[in-house]
Amino acid sequence: MKEIVYFSYTGTSEKIAKAFSSHLNCSMVGIKPVRSRSYLEWLILSFIPKLGVKILHENIDGDEIILCFPKWTFNCPPITSFIKSGNLKGKRVFMVVACGGWRAESYTAKYAELIEKHRGFVVGWKILRRKYVDEILRSNELFEEVENAFSAAKGD
């Protein structure tokens, strides 16, 4: 069973998660920090690699997870906490990372390593430039890429 898990500060990652949920007819689980923070606070925290924050989320029941989140400077603390909590153990994960800046490939690779370290299995990832998100979501290519990645991981 597929499930969408996301964290969104500006709404972009939530928009991506909703598109996947609608297209694939699967449930969404939002990751919510226990404490709300200003943009400046999040910016400062994003400079501290591997830092987590206290979060709330529902149980993750799916065995195939589409994890949507933003690319922040070096770290997205709510996502880091979620991964470190062990929620992805034994699950296949496809990451969709929304970004507007630089070094998104190395950032995403570090998250893939963190997921694998906590016993999840990364089947792929896609980095979406924020300015092209609407255009990409109107196409079926991204959805097909994710479906193909999960099928390949299962050996279909």
Side-chain angles (χ1 to χ4, degrees):
M1 174 176 82
K2 285 182 184 54
E3 198 162 11
I4 316 300
V5 178
Y6 73 96
F7 169 74
S8 190
Y9 181 73
T10 63
T12 303
S13 296
E14 183 176 21
K15 178 191 286 188
I16 295 165
K18 284 180 177 178
F20 270 102
S21 178
S22 175
H23 190 82
L24 301 175
N25 195 27
C26 54
S27 65
M28 287 177 32
V29 174
I31 298 169
K32 307 283 185 219
V34 169
R35 180 175 165 247
S36 67
R37 291 179 163 79
S38 69
Y39 173 78
L40 183 58
E41 288 176 287
W42 281 125
L43 178 63
I44 291 166
L45 294 176
S46 76
F47 276 93
I48 306 169
K50 300 181 182 173
L51 175 75
V53 294
K54 290 184 179 179
I55 59 170
L56 301 171
H57 61 82
E58 298 170 24
N59 288 335
I60 309 305
D61 297 321
D63 56 348
E64 295 180 333
I65 306 299
I66 301 166
L67 183 62
C68 303
F69 60 99
K71 191 274 183 205
W72 284 353
T73 311
F74 297 110
N75 180 37
C76 181
I79 289 296
T80 300
S81 292
F82 176 75
I83 294 168
K84 287 181 174 181
S85 72
N87 284 289
L88 299 176
K89 181 179 179 181
K91 300 178 187 293
R92 291 181 293 280
V93 180
F94 191 101
M95 294 182 290
V96 180
V97 180
C99 78
W102 49 277
R103 300 189 55 154
E105 197 68 35
S106 61
Y107 176 89
T108 306
K110 293 241 184 266
Y111 272 104
E113 290 172 11
L114 187 62
I115 290 168
E116 301 261 338
K117 177 180 177 183
H118 290 274
R119 300 176 140 185
F121 177 64
V122 177
V123 300
W125 69 64
K126 186 72 170 184
I127 298 166
L128 304 182
R129 301 291 285 179
R130 277 194 301 270
K131 65 183 177 180
Y132 301 119
V133 164
D134 289 332
E135 179 183 332
I136 292 167
L137 294 179
R138 281 192 296 271
S139 158
N140 281 333
E141 291 178 29
L142 176 60
F143 306 116
E144 290 170 6
E145 181 178 340
V146 171
E147 289 280 21
N148 290 338
F150 283 125
S151 290
K154 287 192 282 191
D156 292 350

